[in-house]
Amino acid sequence: MWFNRLEVSNLRNIVHANVDLGPGLNYFHGPNGAGKTTLLEAVYLLARARSFRNSDTSTLIRSGTDALVVRGLFDHGGSIALSRSTQQKTELKINKTAERRLSRAAELVPLQLMLPELSNLVFGPPGERRRFLDWGVFHVKPAYLDDLRRYLRALSQRNSLLKRFGHGVSSDDLDPWSEQLIETGERIHTARNEYVQALMPIFYDVLRKLAPELNAELTYHGGWSGEQRFGKVLGEWTARDVKSGATQVGPHRADVTIQADRQAAQKVLSRGQGKMVASALLVGQAMLLARRNDKNSIFLIDDIGAELDLVRNRRFFEILGELDCQILASSTLEPSVFEALNVTQKPLTVFHVEHGAVHRE
């Protein structure tokens, strides 16, 4: 499944744009501030109901207008549309029918987002890698989202009580939330661990193709030490949780550690190498989803070529060509860059963007 048409109104500097997309690589080029990244952002909004640039939705709607509208038409004839008003009201329609669950859009449109700071997936805090994991598990098992939401809600309630423990709050008040934390936390831990185990061989294979000189390894840590079950560990840590006023162990502290030559990747890899590892993780995630659920991801790539040399860019696009996925990419570089990359596996559709206007070349 892919988008064959994208319609955007009143999103940042785009007044109105109808873009007929190709099934393969769609390349948006033009000067900085032209609106290239905004077109990628429009697809992200459709799938995630939020921006990848910032959380302040007031900056999304074009100044002087009341609402933005983004609509995508699928190759099979279906559609998805999202509108957001200055009153913070968001409406989602799938096949012209209102849908209350915004997560339904994310389920329909698997995305792989590749920004210039993609290497943060390797060098950034554990939260970056947890989000990567959670999206991957969600696309394989959509019901996972319910467990994650219940866990985070129980975690918030338990932490709130821990901060007030001894001031009208006792262990009896903690118990219901601890039980819900354990119930959902065990399932989250199992799902994440199974996902990482399935992803590992695919990731290693992709990385060998992208950067054969790199020897990276993944290890999943569930958020507590040892092999004990979460419920037992949480009970043992309760006294310390009371003292600190927060839950110290659990899936909210999980991480995927990345090593290169048996050392922490953060210490030994360059930014470019880190981007290669992160790229292999996202491509591997797309491959796993295609194999498990027969769903092709849509890749959004902003500022193609950042921090990667010509050879690695060529390998990267060769692998994407084998994936048979739709790609929306942006850059200030002229389309001739793809001649150097020898991108011939897929149709190349080129657009020039300037002052919020989009023209197909």
Side-chain angles (χ1 to χ4, degrees), residues 121-122 124-130 133 192 196 219-224 250-258 266:
L121 184 56
V122 174
E128 296 275 348
R129 291 177 289 280
R130 284 197 296 272
L133 269 187
R192 284 175 172 173
V196 172
T219 306
Y220 172 68
H221 298 280
W224 63 91
H252 61 289
R253 304 294 295 271
D255 194 7
V256 176
T257 60
I258 304 171
Q266 295 90 335

Side-chain angles (χ1 to χ4, degrees), residues 224-260:
W224 63 91
S225 59
E227 300 297 324
Q228 294 177 316
R229 294 185 67 84
F230 176 40
K232 179 174 174 54
V233 175
L234 186 68
E236 293 173 347
W237 273 77
T238 297
R240 279 171 282 188
D241 289 348
V242 169
K243 186 175 181 180
S244 66
T247 306
Q248 301 294 302
V249 294
H252 61 289
R253 304 294 295 271
D255 194 7
V256 176
T257 60
I258 304 171
Q259 290 190 317

Side-chain angles (χ1 to χ4, degrees), residues 17-281:
N18 291 332
V19 185
D20 292 319
L21 299 169
L25 175 57
N26 296 270
Y27 182 55
F28 301 91
H29 73 102
N32 289 325
K36 306 181 302 297
T37 301
T38 299
L39 292 166
L40 274 59
E41 187 179 25
V43 177
Y44 194 87
L45 272 170
L46 276 177
R48 303 280 177 88
R50 63 184 297 272
S51 168
F52 57 69
R53 287 163 131 174
N54 54 57
S55 58
D56 184 4
T57 58
S58 65
T59 64
L60 296 176
I61 302 171
R62 192 170 65 88
S63 178
T65 62
D66 296 326
L68 66 85
V69 179
V70 182
R71 183 168 178 254
L73 304 180
F74 293 113
D75 61 304
H76 57 64
S79 66
I80 182 171
L82 182 137
S83 64
R84 178 166 294 172
S85 71
T86 51
Q87 286 74 39
Q88 305 298 309
K89 183 180 180 181
T90 300
E91 293 184 351
L92 173 68
K93 289 186 178 180
I94 297 176
N95 298 328
K96 300 182 179 180
T97 301
E99 173 61 65
R100 294 179 59 188
R101 297 175 303 145
L102 296 180
S103 61
R104 178 62 179 149
E107 187 178 339
L108 286 174
V109 188
L111 291 182
Q112 305 297 339
L113 178 65
M114 309 186 78
L115 301 178
E117 59 271 22
L118 177 61
S119 58
N120 285 348
L121 184 56
V122 174
F123 300 120
E128 296 275 348
R129 291 177 289 280
R130 284 197 296 272
R131 279 188 290 274
F132 165 79
L133 269 187
D134 289 336
W135 277 115
V137 179
F138 165 74
H139 284 306
V140 174
K141 299 178 179 179
Y144 171 80
L145 183 60
D146 293 331
D147 276 333
L148 186 60
R149 284 172 172 167
R150 289 186 64 211
Y151 178 87
L152 294 175
R153 184 167 56 247
L155 178 66
S156 177
Q157 293 292 338
R158 188 175 191 267
N159 285 345
S160 178
L161 292 172
L162 285 168
K163 289 180 175 66
R164 296 181 285 118
F165 198 87
H167 301 277
V169 175
S170 67
S171 296
D172 290 340
D173 300 304
L174 284 179
D175 288 344
W177 298 111
S178 297
E179 290 170 5
Q180 189 174 132
L181 211 63
I182 293 167
E183 175 193 352
T184 54
E186 289 282 8
R187 289 199 293 267
I188 289 169
H189 172 68
T190 298
R192 284 175 172 173
N193 187 52
E194 289 176 351
Y195 180 80
V196 172
Q197 297 307 314
L199 177 65
M200 278 182 183
I202 303 174
F203 162 74
Y204 295 144
D205 183 56
V206 173
L207 187 61
R208 276 195 296 270
K209 294 177 180 177
L210 284 178
E213 74 281 3
L214 292 181
N215 182 22
E217 294 183 356
L218 307 179
T219 306
Y220 172 68
H221 298 280
W224 63 91
S225 59
E227 300 297 324
Q228 294 177 316
R229 294 185 67 84
F230 176 40
K232 179 174 174 54
V233 175
L234 186 68
E236 293 173 347
W237 273 77
T238 297
R240 279 171 282 188
D241 289 348
V242 169
K243 186 175 181 180
S244 66
T247 306
Q248 301 294 302
V249 294
H252 61 289
R253 304 294 295 271
D255 194 7
V256 176
T257 60
I258 304 171
Q259 290 190 317
D261 294 322
R262 299 187 178 182
Q263 298 184 68
Q266 295 90 335
K267 295 181 179 180
V268 297
L269 295 185
S270 67
R271 301 298 294 186
Q273 289 173 324
K275 192 165 186 177
M276 277 286 93
V277 173
S279 297
L281 284 169

